[in-house]
Amino acid sequence: MSLSSPQNLRRAALHHPLADAFLEHLTIEKGLSENTLLSYGADIQDFLIFLDAGGLKLEDASQDVLLLYLASLKNRELAGRSLARRLAALRGLFAFGLKEGLLAADPVEFLNNPKLAQTLPEVLTRQEMDAILNRPDLCEKLGFRDRTMLELLYAAGLRVSELCALRPLDFDPQTDILRIFGKGAKERLVPIHATASRFLSDYLQQWRPLFTPADDKVFLNRSGKGLSRQAVWKLIQKYVSEAGIRKNVSPHTFRHSFATHLLDGGADLRVVQMLLGHSDITATEIYTHVQADRLHNIHRQYHPRARGK
């Protein structure tokens, strides 16, 4: 059977001691989040199925086999970022195997990552953000909950998973500080402004008890259990639509807007990196490109020599 056979997609789940040890290493020593571990596991599983379809084992994987695998992924029309993610998972797997003495060579060592087109994140203007924040009805518990949720996403640049994981004790109303547990269970402290702090304090004291909490989470659904990421996404879609905004807005758009608006106001890039919880400043630097892109648009729109060109 050909290594690139589509039948490999229909095979049952496979296991390998090296893959299991690597995932255990990521869990215990690296402390990666559950979602990240699931992604790594799925990517490695896909490669194991590919090898099995060709009658090969993980120890047989060579650079040529890796190239065939990447070609098969392209034939499946995977996007560049998906290809890069698959290769990153395998790079980590083989590096771990080499370090532990379980493999004699690393077949991924000399393979280049696919080139990715840089896509700038969607950012809301201050006016658009205000329009969204003002949509929830503050006279009823769901509306007050939603307004508080939106305020925190924008005030602290939270990931949606971080928002859903927030517990009441993670907020210190005396200092207006949130304790956030980000990717890899890394803890960071993020200050929030007075308006967000007031909404959160009022919500926790007056409105959250009305949900009859069944979970130790800040944001609860009608049953008193913690809001899911999907529920947050749907709520944001609702308020974006009601505000008449045509942009493709997700919970992460609030995080992008938070970072961009801070830099617009003169914040230091390193400070924004710390507030976002980025381990590498290159992840934060994309927001400087957002700024530059916006400045170019303003210049083209208003400079007399640039108009109409």
Side-chain angles (χ1 to χ4, degrees):
M1 183 185 295
S2 169
L3 281 176
S4 58
S5 169
Q7 294 182 30
N8 65 358
L9 300 178
R10 298 192 293 271
R11 291 294 188 90
L14 298 174
H15 295 279
H16 190 281
L18 173 57
D20 293 341
F22 176 58
L23 292 174
E24 184 177 357
H25 163 74
L26 294 179
T27 304
I28 298 174
E29 298 188 31
K30 296 295 185 180
L32 298 185
S33 70
E34 183 179 355
N35 289 333
T36 303
L37 288 170
L38 288 173
S39 295
Y40 268 92
D43 291 342
I44 293 170
Q45 176 68 199
D46 187 75
F47 183 59
L48 291 176
I49 293 172
F50 173 84
L51 292 174
D52 184 66
L56 297 176
K57 297 180 180 179
L58 192 58
E59 293 81 3
D60 301 323
S62 63
Q63 188 177 83
D64 288 341
V65 170
L66 264 295
L67 289 172
L68 282 173
Y69 176 62
L70 292 176
S72 77
L73 294 179
K74 290 181 180 179
N75 288 337
R76 285 153 58 181
E77 298 184 349
L78 263 69
R81 291 191 180 279
S82 296
L83 287 172
R85 193 195 70 195
R86 294 281 175 91
L87 193 56
L90 295 179
R91 202 180 291 281
L93 172 67
F94 286 112
F96 174 78
L98 197 62
K99 180 181 177 182
E100 296 295 314
L102 302 174
L103 293 175
D106 180 359
V108 194
E109 183 178 5
F110 298 108
L111 291 181
N112 294 322
N113 287 325
K115 292 183 178 180
L116 301 178
Q118 187 180 52
T119 56
L120 298 179
E122 191 81 86
V123 173
L124 294 164
T125 66
R126 289 174 174 82
Q127 293 75 19
E128 289 170 335
M129 186 65 73
D130 287 340
I132 297 172
L133 292 176
N134 289 327
R135 292 310 305 172
D137 183 358
L138 300 182
C139 294
E140 53 98 23
K141 67 176 186 179
L142 292 176
F144 202 95
R145 177 203 66 186
D146 295 349
R147 174 64 181 269
T148 305
M149 177 186 76
L150 296 174
E151 287 282 358
L152 283 191
L153 282 173
Y154 181 45
L158 303 180
R159 300 178 178 94
V160 65
S161 58
E162 296 168 349
L163 179 85
C164 294
L166 270 182
R167 300 169 301 171
L169 291 180
D170 291 332
F171 172 55
D172 183 357
Q174 303 300 318
T175 59
D176 295 341
I177 294 288
L178 285 177
R179 182 174 58 174
I180 309 298
F181 293 94
K183 289 186 176 180
K186 293 179 181 177
E187 180 180 338
R188 71 183 189 277
L189 300 178
V190 180
I192 57 176
H193 54 70
T195 300
S197 177
R198 185 172 64 253
F199 267 102
L200 183 54
S201 295
D202 290 348
Y203 168 75
L204 290 174
Q205 294 171 18
Q206 302 174 29
W207 297 91
R208 184 175 177 274
L210 301 180
F211 287 85
T212 314
D215 278 348
D216 185 31
K217 298 289 170 53
V218 169
F219 295 105
L220 307 172
N221 60 24
R222 295 175 187 270
S223 302
K225 296 182 179 180
L227 273 181
S228 66
R229 292 176 298 165
Q230 291 79 8
V232 174
W233 185 87
K234 289 180 180 178
L235 287 168
I236 286 176
Q237 296 303 303
K238 169 190 171 185
Y239 293 122
V240 168
S241 177
E242 290 179 359
I245 296 170
R246 303 290 185 182
K247 292 179 178 177
N248 183 21
V249 180
S250 69
H252 222 64
T253 308
F254 283 70
R255 182 170 164 89
H256 295 321
S257 303
F258 163 82
T260 303
H261 294 172
L262 280 179
L263 290 170
D264 283 347
D268 183 79
L269 190 64
R270 290 285 182 183
V271 173
V272 176
Q273 176 194 3
M274 180 179 66
L275 293 175
L276 290 174
H278 286 161
S279 57
D280 188 346
I281 198 167
T282 56
T284 317
E285 286 175 342
I286 189 172
Y287 297 110
T288 63
H289 296 296
V290 174
Q291 279 187 302
D293 189 58
R294 292 173 65 198
L295 288 174
H296 278 300
N297 287 335
I298 292 172
H299 185 274
R300 284 193 293 268
Q301 184 177 356
Y302 295 107
H303 195 284
R305 297 287 291 174
R307 289 176 186 172
K309 295 188 184 298

